[in-house]
Amino acid sequence: MPNKLGLPDFLTPQEVADLLGVHKNTVYNLCKSKELPSFKIGNNRRIRADALIEYIDKQEGSTD
């Protein structure tokens, strides 16, 4: 089932960085801190599109 943004199911950190308008290292830091869930296949990190959407929704709801 497609997600609400029409994204591929799995995204690279560079794709996430491009979508969010941040540096790729920022995405890696979010993954490392577990704020943005991710997984590795070999040496390649992937982020589920649903996890990114959930992260964005959570950020929109925060009061900081």
Side-chain angles (χ1 to χ4, degrees), residues 2-27:
N3 55 59
K4 66 183 180 182
L5 297 180
L7 297 170
D9 289 338
F10 305 106
L11 301 162
T12 66
Q14 184 62 60
E15 290 170 329
V16 172
D18 292 343
L19 287 167
L20 295 178
V22 298
H23 194 274
K24 180 171 63 171
N25 288 346
T26 302
V27 176

Side-chain angles (χ1 to χ4, degrees), residues 26-44:
T26 302
V27 176
Y28 279 112
N29 288 337
L30 289 170
C31 293
K32 185 177 178 182
S33 70
K34 306 218 189 275
E35 289 182 66
L36 180 58
S38 66
F39 62 96
K40 289 184 80 173
I41 299 175
N43 287 331
N44 300 306

